[in-house]
mmCIF file of all heavy atoms in Angstrom:
data_model
loop_
_atom_site.group_PDB
_atom_site.id
_atom_site.type_symbol
_atom_site.label_atom_id
_atom_site.label_comp_id
_atom_site.label_asym_id
_atom_site.label_seq_id
_atom_site.Cartn_x
_atom_site.Cartn_y
_atom_site.Cartn_z
ATOM 1 N N LEU A 12 0.829 -1.228 0.048
ATOM 2 C CA LEU A 12 0.020 -0.074 -0.044
ATOM 3 C C LEU A 12 0.883 1.325 0.030
ATOM 4 O O LEU A 12 0.543 2.172 -0.680
ATOM 5 C CB LEU A 12 -0.928 -0.046 1.195
ATOM 6 C CG LEU A 12 -2.162 -0.970 1.086
ATOM 7 C CD1 LEU A 12 -2.874 -1.019 2.460
ATOM 8 C CD2 LEU A 12 -2.971 -0.623 -0.014
ATOM 9 N N LEU A 13 1.860 1.204 0.819
ATOM 10 C CA LEU A 13 2.810 2.363 0.895
ATOM 11 C C LEU A 13 3.569 2.546 -0.407
ATOM 12 O O LEU A 13 3.591 3.716 -0.956
ATOM 13 C CB LEU A 13 3.815 2.197 1.917
ATOM 14 C CG LEU A 13 3.351 2.282 3.423
ATOM 15 C CD1 LEU A 13 4.426 1.967 4.267
ATOM 16 C CD2 LEU A 13 2.908 3.705 3.681
ATOM 17 N N LEU A 14 3.829 1.492 -1.112
ATOM 18 C CA LEU A 14 4.573 1.636 -2.480
ATOM 19 C C LEU A 14 3.574 2.121 -3.485
ATOM 20 O O LEU A 14 3.923 2.993 -4.313
ATOM 21 C CB LEU A 14 5.080 0.209 -2.868
ATOM 22 C CG LEU A 14 6.210 -0.244 -2.154
ATOM 23 C CD1 LEU A 14 6.625 -1.681 -2.593
ATOM 24 C CD2 LEU A 14 7.497 0.645 -2.477
ATOM 25 N N ARG A 15 2.345 1.621 -3.256
ATOM 26 C CA ARG A 15 1.281 2.146 -4.229
ATOM 27 C C ARG A 15 0.978 3.624 -4.155
ATOM 28 O O ARG A 15 0.936 4.435 -5.021
ATOM 29 C CB ARG A 15 0.061 1.343 -4.117
ATOM 30 C CG ARG A 15 -1.097 1.836 -5.108
ATOM 31 C CD ARG A 15 -2.364 0.921 -4.998
ATOM 32 N NE ARG A 15 -3.282 1.417 -6.006
ATOM 33 C CZ ARG A 15 -4.496 0.866 -6.070
ATOM 34 N NH1 ARG A 15 -4.897 -0.041 -5.263
ATOM 35 N NH2 ARG A 15 -5.357 1.344 -7.014
ATOM 36 N N LEU A 16 0.998 3.966 -2.827
ATOM 37 C CA LEU A 16 0.743 5.453 -2.468
ATOM 38 C C LEU A 16 2.031 6.256 -3.070
ATOM 39 O O LEU A 16 1.762 7.367 -3.489
ATOM 40 C CB LEU A 16 0.593 5.671 -1.029
ATOM 41 C CG LEU A 16 -0.770 5.220 -0.402
ATOM 42 C CD1 LEU A 16 -0.758 5.375 1.140
ATOM 43 C CD2 LEU A 16 -1.850 6.095 -1.063
ATOM 44 N N TYR A 17 3.131 5.733 -2.849
ATOM 45 C CA TYR A 17 4.375 6.491 -3.255
ATOM 46 C C TYR A 17 4.390 6.620 -4.785
ATOM 47 O O TYR A 17 4.441 7.711 -5.316
ATOM 48 C CB TYR A 17 5.583 5.707 -2.730
ATOM 49 C CG TYR A 17 6.804 6.291 -3.381
ATOM 50 C CD1 TYR A 17 7.459 7.353 -2.936
ATOM 51 C CD2 TYR A 17 7.433 5.617 -4.586
ATOM 52 C CE1 TYR A 17 8.564 7.877 -3.601
ATOM 53 C CE2 TYR A 17 8.582 6.133 -5.135
ATOM 54 C CZ TYR A 17 9.127 7.249 -4.736
ATOM 55 O OH TYR A 17 10.228 7.775 -5.309
ATOM 56 N N PHE A 18 4.034 5.491 -5.448
ATOM 57 C CA PHE A 18 4.169 5.556 -6.963
ATOM 58 C C PHE A 18 3.029 6.468 -7.447
ATOM 59 O O PHE A 18 3.177 7.126 -8.593
ATOM 60 C CB PHE A 18 4.117 4.290 -7.569
ATOM 61 C CG PHE A 18 5.465 3.485 -7.504
ATOM 62 C CD1 PHE A 18 5.628 2.430 -6.647
ATOM 63 C CD2 PHE A 18 6.530 3.962 -8.377
ATOM 64 C CE1 PHE A 18 6.913 1.861 -6.666
ATOM 65 C CE2 PHE A 18 7.733 3.315 -8.249
ATOM 66 C CZ PHE A 18 7.938 2.254 -7.463
ATOM 67 N N THR A 19 1.804 6.439 -6.662
ATOM 68 C CA THR A 19 0.705 7.322 -7.181
ATOM 69 C C THR A 19 0.956 8.756 -6.935
ATOM 70 O O THR A 19 0.680 9.603 -7.842
ATOM 71 C CB THR A 19 -0.515 6.844 -6.521
ATOM 72 O OG1 THR A 19 -0.693 5.475 -6.827
ATOM 73 C CG2 THR A 19 -1.726 7.687 -7.038
ATOM 74 N N PHE A 20 1.449 9.086 -5.711
ATOM 75 C CA PHE A 20 1.457 10.426 -5.229
ATOM 76 C C PHE A 20 2.948 11.051 -5.437
ATOM 77 O O PHE A 20 2.895 12.315 -5.819
ATOM 78 C CB PHE A 20 0.889 10.647 -3.855
ATOM 79 C CG PHE A 20 -0.421 10.550 -3.669
ATOM 80 C CD1 PHE A 20 -1.085 9.404 -3.599
ATOM 81 C CD2 PHE A 20 -1.323 11.777 -3.558
ATOM 82 C CE1 PHE A 20 -2.498 9.233 -3.360
ATOM 83 C CE2 PHE A 20 -2.626 11.578 -3.491
ATOM 84 C CZ PHE A 20 -3.254 10.332 -3.333
ATOM 85 N N ARG A 21 3.985 10.300 -5.153
ATOM 86 C CA ARG A 21 5.274 10.936 -4.871
ATOM 87 C C ARG A 21 6.322 10.507 -5.912
ATOM 88 O O ARG A 21 7.263 11.427 -6.154
ATOM 89 C CB ARG A 21 5.752 10.549 -3.528
ATOM 90 C CG ARG A 21 4.904 10.975 -2.448
ATOM 91 C CD ARG A 21 4.788 12.496 -2.245
ATOM 92 N NE ARG A 21 4.060 12.956 -1.178
ATOM 93 C CZ ARG A 21 3.602 14.199 -0.968
ATOM 94 N NH1 ARG A 21 4.039 15.114 -1.871
ATOM 95 N NH2 ARG A 21 2.878 14.474 0.146
ATOM 96 N N ALA A 22 6.085 9.494 -6.634
ATOM 97 C CA ALA A 22 7.115 9.108 -7.607
ATOM 98 C C ALA A 22 7.054 9.996 -8.794
ATOM 99 O O ALA A 22 5.948 10.463 -9.260
ATOM 100 C CB ALA A 22 6.888 7.559 -8.001
ATOM 101 N N PRO A 23 8.253 10.213 -9.483
ATOM 102 C CA PRO A 23 8.176 11.004 -10.601
ATOM 103 C C PRO A 23 7.396 10.398 -11.704
ATOM 104 O O PRO A 23 7.335 9.324 -11.889
ATOM 105 C CB PRO A 23 9.730 11.016 -11.108
ATOM 106 C CG PRO A 23 10.527 10.673 -9.791
ATOM 107 C CD PRO A 23 9.560 9.833 -9.098
ATOM 108 N N ASN A 24 6.607 11.293 -12.426
ATOM 109 C CA ASN A 24 5.746 10.806 -13.455
ATOM 110 C C ASN A 24 5.783 11.700 -14.628
ATOM 111 O O ASN A 24 4.822 11.779 -15.457
ATOM 112 C CB ASN A 24 4.234 10.779 -12.938
ATOM 113 C CG ASN A 24 3.269 9.926 -13.756
ATOM 114 O OD1 ASN A 24 3.760 9.042 -14.523
ATOM 115 N ND2 ASN A 24 2.053 10.427 -13.894
ATOM 116 N N VAL A 25 6.817 12.432 -14.820
ATOM 117 C CA VAL A 25 6.938 13.360 -16.042
ATOM 118 C C VAL A 25 7.777 12.493 -17.099
ATOM 119 O O VAL A 25 8.892 11.979 -16.685
ATOM 120 C CB VAL A 25 7.723 14.715 -15.681
ATOM 121 C CG1 VAL A 25 7.928 15.420 -16.850
ATOM 122 C CG2 VAL A 25 6.713 15.439 -14.700
ATOM 123 N N ALA A 26 7.333 12.437 -18.180
ATOM 124 C CA ALA A 26 8.028 11.707 -19.285
ATOM 125 C C ALA A 26 8.984 12.483 -20.037
ATOM 126 O O ALA A 26 9.867 11.991 -20.771
ATOM 127 C CB ALA A 26 6.952 11.045 -20.274
ATOM 128 N N VAL A 27 8.997 13.752 -19.996
ATOM 129 C CA VAL A 27 9.899 14.648 -20.809
ATOM 130 C C VAL A 27 11.234 14.859 -20.200
ATOM 131 O O VAL A 27 11.250 14.951 -18.928
ATOM 132 C CB VAL A 27 9.169 16.010 -21.038
ATOM 133 C CG1 VAL A 27 7.853 15.863 -22.086
ATOM 134 C CG2 VAL A 27 8.746 16.701 -19.797
ATOM 135 N N PRO A 28 12.202 14.840 -20.967
ATOM 136 C CA PRO A 28 13.628 14.926 -20.391
ATOM 137 C C PRO A 28 14.018 16.354 -19.876
ATOM 138 O O PRO A 28 15.011 16.619 -19.261
ATOM 139 C CB PRO A 28 14.477 14.492 -21.571
ATOM 140 C CG PRO A 28 13.773 14.803 -22.866
ATOM 141 C CD PRO A 28 12.337 14.776 -22.489
ATOM 142 N N LYS A 29 13.283 17.422 -20.360
ATOM 143 C CA LYS A 29 13.590 18.754 -19.910
ATOM 144 C C LYS A 29 12.215 19.485 -19.764
ATOM 145 O O LYS A 29 11.141 19.146 -19.942
ATOM 146 C CB LYS A 29 14.454 19.493 -20.964
ATOM 147 C CG LYS A 29 13.764 19.530 -22.284
ATOM 148 C CD LYS A 29 14.622 20.352 -23.362
ATOM 149 C CE LYS A 29 14.054 20.493 -24.706
ATOM 150 N NZ LYS A 29 14.903 21.091 -25.712
ATOM 151 N N GLU A 30 12.326 20.697 -18.999
ATOM 152 C CA GLU A 30 11.118 21.553 -18.756
ATOM 153 C C GLU A 30 10.342 21.777 -20.035
ATOM 154 O O GLU A 30 10.807 22.055 -21.196
ATOM 155 C CB GLU A 30 11.568 22.963 -18.231
ATOM 156 C CG GLU A 30 10.414 23.793 -17.884
ATOM 157 C CD GLU A 30 10.728 25.093 -17.252
ATOM 158 O OE1 GLU A 30 11.086 25.052 -16.085
ATOM 159 O OE2 GLU A 30 10.806 26.107 -17.983
ATOM 160 N N THR A 31 9.154 21.437 -19.970
ATOM 161 C CA THR A 31 8.209 21.547 -21.056
ATOM 162 C C THR A 31 6.979 22.353 -20.709
ATOM 163 O O THR A 31 6.384 22.142 -19.612
ATOM 164 C CB THR A 31 7.535 20.221 -21.548
ATOM 165 O OG1 THR A 31 8.670 19.271 -21.956
ATOM 166 C CG2 THR A 31 6.605 20.279 -22.734
ATOM 167 N N LEU A 32 6.702 23.359 -21.585
ATOM 168 C CA LEU A 32 5.453 24.378 -21.176
ATOM 169 C C LEU A 32 4.233 23.744 -21.709
ATOM 170 O O LEU A 32 4.225 23.427 -23.074
ATOM 171 C CB LEU A 32 5.895 25.706 -21.640
ATOM 172 C CG LEU A 32 7.038 26.429 -21.211
ATOM 173 C CD1 LEU A 32 7.149 27.802 -21.701
ATOM 174 C CD2 LEU A 32 7.008 26.481 -19.504
ATOM 175 N N ILE A 33 3.234 23.646 -20.971
ATOM 176 C CA ILE A 33 1.897 23.214 -21.385
ATOM 177 C C ILE A 33 0.928 24.378 -21.288
ATOM 178 O O ILE A 33 0.916 25.043 -20.266
ATOM 179 C CB ILE A 33 1.395 22.016 -20.563
ATOM 180 C CG1 ILE A 33 2.364 20.864 -20.764
ATOM 181 C CG2 ILE A 33 -0.019 21.607 -21.030
ATOM 182 C CD1 ILE A 33 2.437 20.340 -22.173
ATOM 183 N N TYR A 34 0.141 24.660 -22.332
ATOM 184 C CA TYR A 34 -0.832 25.739 -22.399
ATOM 185 C C TYR A 34 -2.273 25.218 -22.305
ATOM 186 O O TYR A 34 -2.642 24.411 -23.189
ATOM 187 C CB TYR A 34 -0.625 26.646 -23.601
ATOM 188 C CG TYR A 34 0.852 27.146 -23.756
ATOM 189 C CD1 TYR A 34 1.734 26.342 -24.510
ATOM 190 C CD2 TYR A 34 1.208 28.382 -23.214
ATOM 191 C CE1 TYR A 34 3.033 26.939 -24.576
ATOM 192 C CE2 TYR A 34 2.434 28.863 -23.392
ATOM 193 C CZ TYR A 34 3.410 28.085 -24.030
ATOM 194 O OH TYR A 34 4.622 28.671 -24.185
ATOM 195 N N ILE A 35 -2.904 25.722 -21.192
ATOM 196 C CA ILE A 35 -4.267 25.385 -20.987
ATOM 197 C C ILE A 35 -5.138 26.572 -21.348
ATOM 198 O O ILE A 35 -5.158 27.527 -20.652
ATOM 199 C CB ILE A 35 -4.708 24.836 -19.692
ATOM 200 C CG1 ILE A 35 -3.701 23.648 -19.355
ATOM 201 C CG2 ILE A 35 -6.079 24.536 -19.394
ATOM 202 C CD1 ILE A 35 -3.893 23.129 -17.978
ATOM 203 N N PRO A 36 -5.886 26.543 -22.479
ATOM 204 C CA PRO A 36 -6.698 27.615 -22.901
ATOM 205 C C PRO A 36 -7.898 27.925 -21.978
ATOM 206 O O PRO A 36 -8.346 27.077 -21.249
ATOM 207 C CB PRO A 36 -7.205 27.271 -24.291
ATOM 208 C CG PRO A 36 -6.420 26.125 -24.755
ATOM 209 C CD PRO A 36 -5.916 25.438 -23.480
ATOM 210 N N THR A 37 -8.214 29.133 -21.994
ATOM 211 C CA THR A 37 -9.401 29.640 -21.264
ATOM 212 C C THR A 37 -10.629 28.847 -21.563
ATOM 213 O O THR A 37 -10.822 28.628 -22.753
ATOM 214 C CB THR A 37 -9.696 31.173 -21.375
ATOM 215 O OG1 THR A 37 -8.548 31.867 -20.853
ATOM 216 C CG2 THR A 37 -10.891 31.569 -20.593
ATOM 217 N N GLY A 38 -11.375 28.347 -20.638
ATOM 218 C CA GLY A 38 -12.667 27.617 -20.993
ATOM 219 C C GLY A 38 -12.410 26.148 -21.056
ATOM 220 O O GLY A 38 -13.447 25.346 -21.226
ATOM 221 N N SER A 39 -11.154 25.683 -20.816
ATOM 222 C CA SER A 39 -10.898 24.293 -20.825
ATOM 223 C C SER A 39 -11.536 23.582 -19.627
ATOM 224 O O SER A 39 -11.565 24.126 -18.571
ATOM 225 C CB SER A 39 -9.352 23.985 -20.845
ATOM 226 O OG SER A 39 -8.754 24.598 -22.031
ATOM 227 N N ASN A 40 -11.930 22.277 -19.816
ATOM 228 C CA ASN A 40 -12.417 21.507 -18.631
ATOM 229 C C ASN A 40 -11.386 20.335 -18.424
ATOM 230 O O ASN A 40 -10.338 20.333 -19.085
ATOM 231 C CB ASN A 40 -13.827 20.897 -18.962
ATOM 232 C CG ASN A 40 -13.852 20.040 -20.264
ATOM 233 O OD1 ASN A 40 -12.813 19.402 -20.599
ATOM 234 N ND2 ASN A 40 -14.929 20.091 -21.015
ATOM 235 N N TYR A 41 -11.706 19.558 -17.482
ATOM 236 C CA TYR A 41 -10.810 18.493 -17.084
ATOM 237 C C TYR A 41 -10.432 17.571 -18.153
ATOM 238 O O TYR A 41 -9.153 17.249 -18.284
ATOM 239 C CB TYR A 41 -11.399 17.758 -15.806
ATOM 240 C CG TYR A 41 -10.663 16.575 -15.320
ATOM 241 C CD1 TYR A 41 -9.425 16.772 -14.827
ATOM 242 C CD2 TYR A 41 -11.084 15.387 -15.426
ATOM 243 C CE1 TYR A 41 -8.588 15.739 -14.403
ATOM 244 C CE2 TYR A 41 -10.401 14.094 -14.895
ATOM 245 C CZ TYR A 41 -9.163 14.454 -14.443
ATOM 246 O OH TYR A 41 -8.331 13.407 -13.940
ATOM 247 N N ASN A 42 -11.410 17.215 -18.977
ATOM 248 C CA ASN A 42 -11.141 16.217 -20.154
ATOM 249 C C ASN A 42 -10.128 16.963 -21.119
ATOM 250 O O ASN A 42 -9.328 16.239 -21.726
ATOM 251 C CB ASN A 42 -12.300 15.804 -20.836
ATOM 252 C CG ASN A 42 -13.173 14.819 -19.877
ATOM 253 O OD1 ASN A 42 -12.527 13.942 -19.112
ATOM 254 N ND2 ASN A 42 -14.381 14.830 -19.992
ATOM 255 N N ASP A 43 -10.343 18.209 -21.308
ATOM 256 C CA ASP A 43 -9.467 18.923 -22.187
ATOM 257 C C ASP A 43 -8.006 18.913 -21.693
ATOM 258 O O ASP A 43 -7.067 18.631 -22.506
ATOM 259 C CB ASP A 43 -9.900 20.444 -22.345
ATOM 260 C CG ASP A 43 -11.254 20.516 -23.015
ATOM 261 O OD1 ASP A 43 -11.582 19.725 -23.841
ATOM 262 O OD2 ASP A 43 -12.013 21.560 -22.636
ATOM 263 N N VAL A 44 -7.883 19.046 -20.307
ATOM 264 C CA VAL A 44 -6.527 19.054 -19.811
ATOM 265 C C VAL A 44 -5.938 17.667 -19.953
ATOM 266 O O VAL A 44 -4.748 17.616 -20.338
ATOM 267 C CB VAL A 44 -6.566 19.357 -18.306
ATOM 268 C CG1 VAL A 44 -5.230 19.219 -17.665
ATOM 269 C CG2 VAL A 44 -7.035 20.780 -18.029
ATOM 270 N N LEU A 45 -6.622 16.640 -19.797
ATOM 271 C CA LEU A 45 -6.118 15.178 -19.903
ATOM 272 C C LEU A 45 -5.689 15.021 -21.407
ATOM 273 O O LEU A 45 -4.642 14.455 -21.721
ATOM 274 C CB LEU A 45 -7.177 14.233 -19.619
ATOM 275 C CG LEU A 45 -7.497 14.163 -18.144
ATOM 276 C CD1 LEU A 45 -8.680 13.053 -17.963
ATOM 277 C CD2 LEU A 45 -6.287 13.950 -17.175
ATOM 278 N N ASN A 46 -6.486 15.530 -22.354
ATOM 279 C CA ASN A 46 -6.102 15.480 -23.731
ATOM 280 C C ASN A 46 -4.931 16.186 -24.102
ATOM 281 O O ASN A 46 -3.971 15.799 -24.936
ATOM 282 C CB ASN A 46 -7.245 16.029 -24.642
ATOM 283 C CG ASN A 46 -8.435 14.917 -24.703
ATOM 284 O OD1 ASN A 46 -8.294 13.798 -24.448
ATOM 285 N ND2 ASN A 46 -9.720 15.465 -24.822
ATOM 286 N N ILE A 47 -4.760 17.337 -23.547
ATOM 287 C CA ILE A 47 -3.558 18.217 -23.821
ATOM 288 C C ILE A 47 -2.287 17.580 -23.343
ATOM 289 O O ILE A 47 -1.240 17.479 -23.947
ATOM 290 C CB ILE A 47 -3.752 19.550 -23.102
ATOM 291 C CG1 ILE A 47 -4.791 20.365 -23.841
ATOM 292 C CG2 ILE A 47 -2.413 20.362 -23.156
ATOM 293 C CD1 ILE A 47 -5.225 21.720 -23.102
ATOM 294 N N LEU A 48 -2.297 16.990 -22.060
ATOM 295 C CA LEU A 48 -1.222 16.261 -21.436
ATOM 296 C C LEU A 48 -1.016 15.036 -22.390
ATOM 297 O O LEU A 48 0.244 14.715 -22.523
ATOM 298 C CB LEU A 48 -1.590 15.820 -20.087
ATOM 299 C CG LEU A 48 -1.807 17.035 -19.054
ATOM 300 C CD1 LEU A 48 -2.147 16.457 -17.703
ATOM 301 C CD2 LEU A 48 -0.489 17.887 -18.983
ATOM 302 N N ALA A 49 -1.936 14.253 -22.826
ATOM 303 C CA ALA A 49 -1.689 13.177 -23.553
ATOM 304 C C ALA A 49 -1.116 13.486 -24.892
ATOM 305 O O ALA A 49 -0.127 12.817 -25.493
ATOM 306 C CB ALA A 49 -3.041 12.376 -23.721
ATOM 307 N N ASN A 50 -1.652 14.486 -25.499
ATOM 308 C CA ASN A 50 -1.083 14.910 -26.898
ATOM 309 C C ASN A 50 0.354 15.454 -26.837
ATOM 310 O O ASN A 50 1.085 15.140 -27.811
ATOM 311 C CB ASN A 50 -2.032 15.915 -27.483
ATOM 312 C CG ASN A 50 -3.356 15.502 -27.809
ATOM 313 O OD1 ASN A 50 -3.579 14.338 -28.110
ATOM 314 N ND2 ASN A 50 -4.347 16.399 -27.907
ATOM 315 N N ASN A 51 0.696 16.015 -25.731
ATOM 316 C CA ASN A 51 2.101 16.419 -25.572
ATOM 317 C C ASN A 51 3.010 15.394 -24.948
ATOM 318 O O ASN A 51 4.196 15.671 -24.722
ATOM 319 C CB ASN A 51 2.196 17.761 -24.724
ATOM 320 C CG ASN A 51 1.651 18.948 -25.414
ATOM 321 O OD1 ASN A 51 2.299 19.558 -26.160
ATOM 322 N ND2 ASN A 51 0.256 19.290 -25.174
#
């Protein structure tokens, strides 16, 4: 359980090798954000 909590909350989950800027347009909803993260 602790490992699951760690990997879920605390473990690194960024796939990009360097800082990446993500733009969330005005009016976006939660699903839009998920799509933006997936597309990038």
Side-chain angles (χ1 to χ4, degrees):
L12 287 174
L13 288 173
L14 286 173
R15 183 177 180 182
L16 287 172
Y17 170 77
F18 281 110
T19 300
F20 284 86
R21 300 298 181 188
N24 192 31
V25 173
V27 290
K29 61 181 180 180
E30 179 178 283
T31 300
L32 300 181
I33 297 299
Y34 301 91
I35 300 176
T37 298
S39 297
N40 58 33
Y41 177 62
N42 286 329
D43 294 328
V44 174
L45 294 179
N46 289 331
I47 292 169
L48 295 177
N50 292 336
N51 285 276

